[in-house]
Amino acid sequence: MTVSPAPVTTKAIRPRLLLGPGPSPVSDRILEAISRPTVGHLDPQFLAILDDVSDRLRHLFGTANPTTYAVSGTGSAGMEAALVNVLEPGDEIIIGVNGYFGLRLADMARRMGAEVIEVPAEWGGIVDSDRLVEVHRSNPGARALALVHAETSTGARQPLDEIGDYMRDQETLFILDAVTALGGIPVEVDAHAVDICYAGTQKCVGAPPGLAPITFSSRAIERIRTRDSPVASWYLDVSLISSYLGSERRYHHTAPINSFYGLHEALTVIEEEGLEECFDRHERVGGLLQAELADRGFTPFTDPAHRLPQLNAVRLPEGREEAPPRAALLRDHGIEVGGGLGPAKGSVWRIGLMGQGARESVVERLLTAIDDVLRSPA
Amino acid sequence: MTVSPAPVTTKAIRPRLLLGPGPSPVSDRILEAISRPTVGHLDPQFLAILDDVSDRLRHLFGTANPTTYAVSGTGSAGMEAALVNVLEPGDEIIIGVNGYFGLRLADMARRMGAEVIEVPAEWGGIVDSDRLVEVHRSNPGARALALVHAETSTGARQPLDEIGDYMRDQETLFILDAVTALGGIPVEVDAHAVDICYAGTQKCVGAPPGLAPITFSSRAIERIRTRDSPVASWYLDVSLISSYLGSERRYHHTAPINSFYGLHEALTVIEEEGLEECFDRHERVGGLLQAELADRGFTPFTDPAHRLPQLNAVRLPEGREEAPPRAALLRDHGIEVGGGLGPAKGSVWRIGLMGQGARESVVERLLTAIDDVLRSPA
């Protein structure tokens, strides 16, 4: 006798406590918002949501850029949109590479036919600002310089004061990856003279994955206007999308309506809390976790001077493999934490306390579970 | 005294009856599915949903292609994925252009550096199969030939028997846009020797917009494997995505988890009804609307021999402007129908009866509303 397998259904999905590198926990309030009635992408009701999302994103990005919206794709689509709009074949781009997402930027740019000048740094460390300036001085004609604000693969926080000051006076466009930064630590697009900044929704913003907030400075828009060749991607071409976002409301593609509902609600939640309070909470809760993990023999993978509060890459206590207790956390406690990438693979956990995951009660629940799964001998 | 405007909130979204060119009505069952708890993109619970979506999409596409999945973007991202994976700069592509989406294919291909050979046809008509064969015989080295199965801008249904038979023996890859076709009329990828077929979720499939079902034949995959240059888009590169879909489960990007829940549920709904029954329903209900509109003095924009049941482009009765009664339908009856695009702009309505919109009761409600808004003199 054979037993036929149970049909796969979303009804059976058991909730998890999402403490990996993303997605982060999505609150019931946001899940409720995404289930509101789908309406058309030209419906005045939706256009009001769309405009409000742009307003709220400007606040989060610390910018007055008119061209601020959400790309209809995940954070990586945002990365691709940032690059493809400004790069033309043969253009030079300087990229700081201190982790997986710096490598991804370089890979994408090369596929677009750009000459990539990598400024490497150790995984877990930051990219040296003086070194960046030096490389730019040797390549002053570079079309763009790109950095990762919060490296999701290592938990490193890239300082931007010095390089921002320098970039302000350059022709070269300054591109910033804020996928894991936005909503968790201050992102100051205008103050740091950033020309293009993109993020994700499923990290510190607290919405499900599927959209990529992005903003373009007027300098970036001007550069796009004066390109020699059309933007290689029709789907990500900011000029076409601007005709839909602007008063023309010209059809480009059908926006993912319900995903916008979720992003709108998540941004509302952040505004209600207050942006400063939200950053403080991430800072405080991340610090608590870091201290507690140190007490338990975990050691930071990241340079201690540059640790993000919201994404903690840590080596397990001496003699511990990382995969079996990580599997036990998911199986026995319903808690997801991430494994390492690249050189951190096999020895590191990445613990995200992002968005609604950045709560003292969450840290308590996680520590209880960690103590349980590490109780059994290594 | 100034009154501050009410805050924008998704709570206030009033449902509409979506009878435009998409999105189509999303049932409560599917809205409920998308609001299930967000889990991680490597969570075994999600991977089971992902695999099941691929299985069900194979059924809908009429294919056994292993490489069948949903692109993390809307239908236009599916179009871009189909082209960018196979085209290299200088490649020739033959594109049938009998409406807006044929033009979009041509625009995208040119941006990728391809030489586009357009085979034009009248808007509202179909692309002549003999003409396509003739153009291909003059350009036998073309990398691809692309057609739109269901032209959303005109409501025309492109016949595929002849061209499919011809393409089976050619080196040239056969690309098919099934955005508005999938789930509404039979899509026979294997029977018509189609190499790449893409669709949307927000038309006859009945899920919210945000994903693009796509399938690649082994011939297409082999072509991609032997490209001279890497695929220009990292985000849409099928080889990278396949490492995530396959047993490796290698991280590519964070899938839009909740959108997949919705697509999974929508595909389940179609399977429960039965694919043939679903096509019959679209056929029957579309026919009913066409007859009733003819009685009211509407005339088809589309060649009567090639009308789609699910997307009806119609000219209004003599002497009627299209925009005012369309606005009245939305305002007074909560019903969305679409205006025309291109040469159909200003004189045409596009009425979609797609997915859950393809119901006799929906047609009744629409006709009552149309009678009401047309009661006032032109």
Side-chain angles (χ1 to χ4, degrees):
Chain A
M1 200 186 82
T2 58
V3 180
S4 46
V8 176
T9 163
T10 53
K11 273 186 203 139
I13 299 276
R14 292 184 306 281
R16 309 286 201 189
L17 181 55
L18 298 176
L19 306 180
S24 67
V26 177
S27 68
D28 287 348
R29 179 172 163 183
I30 286 155
L31 293 174
E32 210 175 289
I34 66 172
S35 68
R36 308 260 181 231
T38 308
V39 299
H41 51 284
L42 295 173
D43 192 309
Q45 300 185 95
F46 179 68
L47 296 173
I49 297 286
L50 192 71
D51 289 349
D52 211 46
V53 162
S54 289
D55 280 347
R56 288 165 194 267
L57 285 178
R58 271 184 278 271
H59 182 209
L60 222 57
F61 273 126
T63 186
N65 289 337
T67 307
T68 302
Y69 61 100
V71 174
S72 299
T74 67
S76 301
M79 182 186 281
E80 197 151 302
L83 297 175
V84 79
N85 275 288
V86 297
L87 292 180
E88 297 192 71
D91 279 354
E92 289 175 339
I93 178 169
I94 299 164
I95 300 177
V97 178
N98 58 334
Y100 188 85
F101 293 91
L103 287 175
R104 181 174 293 184
L105 275 161
D107 183 355
M108 279 188 186
R110 282 194 193 97
R111 286 164 179 259
M112 294 169 194
E115 296 291 324
V116 175
I117 302 160
E118 290 190 23
V119 182
E122 215 175 326
W123 281 51
I126 57 162
V127 186
D128 184 63
S129 298
D130 294 343
R131 180 78 191 118
L132 284 167
V133 169
E134 199 180 299
V135 171
H136 183 263
R137 289 215 166 107
S138 310
N139 303 275
R143 179 67 69 191
L145 180 149
L147 288 174
V148 179
H149 200 354
E151 216 346 308
T152 321
S153 64
T154 69
R157 177 181 191 155
Q158 178 69 34
L160 298 175
D161 286 341
E162 278 178 61
I163 190 69
D165 279 350
Y166 173 78
M167 291 302 290
R168 187 178 305 281
D169 304 320
Q170 312 304 320
E171 282 284 308
T172 302
L173 298 170
F174 185 14
I175 297 177
L176 187 65
D177 177 318
V179 172
T180 290
L182 196 74
I185 56 173
V187 175
E188 296 289 353
V189 165
D190 290 354
H192 287 130
V194 174
D195 290 296
I196 309 179
C197 188
Y198 58 89
T201 52
Q202 78 279 13
K203 312 277 187 180
C204 298
V205 174
L211 291 170
I214 197 165
T215 184
F216 292 82
S217 72
S218 53
R219 263 161 48 98
I221 295 295
E222 182 57 20
R223 152 64 189 146
I224 295 164
R225 215 183 51 75
T226 56
R227 290 173 59 106
D228 291 327
S229 57
V231 172
S233 168
W234 180 95
Y235 189 62
L236 301 174
D237 185 330
V238 65
S239 316
L240 298 179
I241 293 164
S242 293
S243 304
Y244 169 59
L245 297 170
S247 54
E248 265 185 89
R249 297 299 182 191
R250 191 170 164 185
Y251 164 60
H252 179 253
H253 69 275
T254 304
I257 308 295
N258 296 70
S259 302
F260 270 93
Y261 294 167
L263 175 56
H264 185 270
E265 192 69 18
L267 295 171
T268 305
V269 168
I270 291 175
E271 300 252 330
E272 286 176 2
E273 179 178 16
L275 206 42
E276 289 308 317
E277 288 75 7
C278 183
F279 297 148
D280 289 350
R281 177 168 54 78
H282 279 90
E283 183 80 31
R284 193 179 69 236
V285 176
L288 170 66
L289 177 73
Q290 290 170 1
E292 291 284 346
L293 288 179
D295 286 352
R296 285 163 173 81
F298 286 77
T299 52
F301 174 79
T302 322
D303 178 348
H306 301 288
R307 293 180 80 177
L308 289 163
Q310 69 267 46
L311 199 284
N312 296 277
V314 285
R315 290 202 181 79
L316 273 75
E318 194 67 38
R320 285 282 181 179
E321 273 187 273
E322 72 85 16
R326 182 157 59 87
L329 274 183
L330 187 66
R331 188 189 59 230
D332 303 337
H333 297 271
I335 298 176
E336 177 179 282
V337 302
L341 288 173
K345 196 169 173 157
S347 62
V348 160
W349 279 359
R350 287 181 299 152
I351 304 177
L353 297 173
M354 302 191 286
Q356 297 308 309
R359 301 271 169 213
E360 276 86 355
S361 58
V362 166
V363 172
E364 268 173 51
R365 186 174 151 197
L366 172 65
L367 292 170
T368 305
I370 288 180
D371 291 343
D372 180 64
V373 299
L374 293 185
R375 193 162 296 136
S376 56
Chain B
M1 200 184 84
T2 56
V3 180
S4 47
V8 176
T9 162
T10 53
K11 271 187 205 138
I13 299 276
R14 291 183 307 281
R16 308 287 201 188
L17 180 55
L18 297 176
L19 306 181
S24 66
V26 178
S27 67
D28 287 348
R29 179 172 163 183
I30 286 155
L31 292 173
E32 210 174 288
I34 65 174
S35 68
R36 309 257 181 234
T38 308
V39 299
H41 51 285
L42 294 173
D43 192 307
Q45 299 186 98
F46 178 68
L47 296 174
I49 297 287
L50 192 71
D51 289 349
D52 211 46
V53 162
S54 289
D55 281 347
R56 288 165 194 267
L57 285 178
R58 271 184 277 272
H59 182 207
L60 223 57
F61 273 126
T63 187
N65 289 338
T67 308
T68 302
Y69 61 99
V71 174
S72 299
T74 67
S76 301
M79 183 187 281
E80 196 150 302
L83 296 175
V84 80
N85 275 286
V86 297
L87 292 179
E88 297 192 71
D91 279 354
E92 289 175 339
I93 178 169
I94 299 165
I95 301 177
V97 178
N98 58 334
Y100 188 85
F101 293 90
L103 287 174
R104 181 175 293 183
L105 275 161
D107 183 356
M108 280 189 186
R110 282 194 193 97
R111 286 163 180 260
M112 295 169 194
E115 295 292 325
V116 175
I117 303 160
E118 290 191 24
V119 182
E122 215 176 323
W123 281 52
I126 57 162
V127 185
D128 184 63
S129 297
D130 293 343
R131 180 77 192 121
L132 284 167
V133 169
E134 201 180 296
V135 171
H136 183 263
R137 288 214 166 109
S138 309
N139 302 275
R143 179 67 68 193
L145 181 150
L147 288 174
V148 179
H149 199 354
E151 202 10 290
T152 320
S153 64
T154 69
R157 176 181 191 157
Q158 178 69 34
L160 298 176
D161 286 343
E162 278 179 59
I163 190 69
D165 279 351
Y166 173 78
M167 290 302 290
R168 187 178 306 281
D169 304 320
Q170 312 304 320
E171 281 285 308
T172 302
L173 297 171
F174 185 15
I175 297 177
L176 187 65
D177 177 316
V179 171
T180 290
L182 197 74
I185 55 173
V187 175
E188 297 289 353
V189 165
D190 290 355
H192 287 130
V194 174
D195 290 297
I196 309 179
C197 187
Y198 58 88
T201 52
Q202 79 278 14
K203 312 276 187 178
C204 299
V205 173
L211 291 170
I214 197 166
T215 185
F216 291 83
S217 71
S218 52
R219 263 160 50 97
I221 295 295
E222 181 57 20
R223 153 64 190 146
I224 295 163
R225 215 183 51 76
T226 56
R227 290 174 61 105
D228 290 327
S229 57
V231 172
S233 168
W234 180 94
Y235 189 62
L236 301 174
D237 185 330
V238 64
S239 317
L240 299 179
I241 293 163
S242 293
S243 303
Y244 169 59
L245 297 170
S247 54
E248 264 185 90
R249 298 298 183 190
R250 190 169 164 189
Y251 164 61
H252 178 253
H253 67 276
T254 305
I257 306 295
N258 296 70
S259 301
F260 270 94
Y261 294 168
L263 175 55
H264 185 269
E265 193 70 16
L267 295 172
T268 305
V269 168
I270 291 175
E271 300 251 332
E272 286 175 2
E273 178 178 16
L275 206 42
E276 289 308 317
E277 288 75 8
C278 183
F279 297 148
D280 288 350
R281 177 168 54 78
H282 280 90
E283 182 80 28
R284 193 180 68 235
V285 176
L288 170 66
L289 177 73
Q290 290 170 1
E292 291 284 347
L293 287 179
D295 286 351
R296 285 164 173 80
F298 287 77
T299 52
F301 174 80
T302 322
D303 177 348
H306 302 287
R307 293 180 80 177
L308 289 163
Q310 70 267 44
L311 199 284
N312 296 276
V314 285
R315 290 202 181 81
L316 272 77
E318 194 65 37
R320 285 282 180 179
E321 273 187 272
E322 73 85 14
R326 182 156 59 87
L329 275 184
L330 187 67
R331 189 189 58 231
D332 302 337
H333 297 271
I335 298 178
E336 177 177 283
V337 302
L341 289 173
K345 195 167 173 163
S347 62
V348 161
W349 279 358
R350 288 181 299 151
I351 305 176
L353 298 173
M354 303 190 287
Q356 297 307 310
R359 302 271 170 212
E360 276 87 356
S361 58
V362 166
V363 172
E364 269 174 51
R365 186 173 152 197
L366 172 64
L367 291 170
T368 305
I370 288 180
D371 291 343
D372 180 63
V373 300
L374 293 186
R375 191 161 297 136
S376 56

